[in-house]
Amino acid sequence: MKTDSDNEDDNVDTSLPYGSYPVELSRKTQEILECMANWDVSVFEPLKFVPATEVKDDLEKKKEESDFFKLSEEITTSEVSELLFVYDEKAVYGTDFIICTTQTAVAYFVKKEEEAEAALVDMNTAYEYKAPDPKKWVGYGSHIEIENDFVTDTRPKIHLTVK
């Protein structure tokens, strides 16, 4: 028996664009890349750009033990300076993260995120600016202190007539 949530999952596009791959990141790798799930990336901020050199360095240091070993050829031949990591909380593509190694894949996910944010704005209702109403100033005593600090004449003035 299918529920409403099952129907929502059926509408999700599970095909990835060229140059994007699901990748399973260990907690240690997430810390190194500053891409911690539900900390650095979340449902509200699912995109994280990471310098490609950091990922390539991880591949060189750990070799077969690296989380990126299966994608080593794609990462080393990638021409983008920053790899995009996409946090996929529901693991629609099989893992929590997707790595984008081509500009096409980066553009796809950035556009998808921009469209999701644009959908939050109601473009059908015209915006009308309402100026704030001025309110009467209420003094709490500071004006008395300021008035006491004014420099005033305390002596009577002398009037001189010169002939």
Side-chain angles (χ1 to χ4, degrees), residues 40-42 45-49 84-87 109-110 113:
D40 297 310
V41 290
S42 67
E45 299 265 343
L47 306 180
K48 174 77 174 183
F49 284 96
L84 176 66
F85 284 86
V86 181
Y87 178 60
F109 284 103
V110 168
E113 182 63 21

Side-chain angles (χ1 to χ4, degrees), residues 1-153:
M1 181 170 143
K2 284 194 161 199
T3 62
D4 288 338
S5 63
D6 291 338
N7 292 336
E8 289 175 10
D9 290 342
D10 290 343
N11 296 332
V12 175
D13 180 20
T14 56
S15 63
L16 287 171
Y18 172 76
S20 59
Y21 308 95
V23 63
E24 191 70 41
L25 298 180
S26 66
R27 187 163 187 84
K28 184 69 175 167
T29 303
Q30 289 179 33
E31 289 174 3
I32 291 169
L33 299 177
E34 295 178 5
C35 195
M36 293 287 297
N38 294 320
W39 186 259
D40 297 310
V41 290
S42 67
V43 177
F44 304 109
E45 299 265 343
L47 306 180
K48 174 77 174 183
F49 284 96
V50 175
T53 54
E54 289 185 21
V55 177
K56 290 175 183 176
D57 289 345
D58 183 73
L59 265 170
E60 288 176 14
K61 289 177 187 174
K62 296 181 182 176
K63 306 278 184 204
E64 290 95 17
E65 295 176 9
S66 173
D67 293 341
F68 306 107
F69 182 71
K70 293 178 183 175
L71 303 171
S72 61
E73 185 177 335
E74 289 84 358
I75 292 170
T76 53
T77 59
S78 175
E79 295 182 9
V80 293
S81 60
E82 290 186 321
L83 299 172
L84 176 66
F85 284 86
V86 181
Y87 178 60
D88 184 17
E89 183 191 40
K90 295 180 182 177
V92 173
Y93 301 104
T95 61
D96 287 345
F97 288 94
I98 300 163
I99 186 172
C100 300
T101 59
T102 63
Q103 198 60 38
T104 307
V106 170
Y108 172 81
F109 284 103
V110 168
K111 182 180 179 192
K112 190 174 177 181
E113 182 63 21
E114 287 175 352
E115 288 173 354
E117 288 178 8
L120 298 174
V121 178
D122 183 15
M123 298 301 285
N124 297 328
T125 306
Y127 176 73
E128 183 180 325
Y129 175 73
K130 295 178 185 171
D133 295 328
K135 297 178 182 171
K136 185 166 175 66
W137 183 73
V138 178
Y140 294 108
S142 62
H143 64 284
I144 296 170
E145 292 176 18
I146 293 170
E147 288 172 2
N148 290 338
D149 288 341
F150 283 153
V151 177
T152 56
D153 293 333

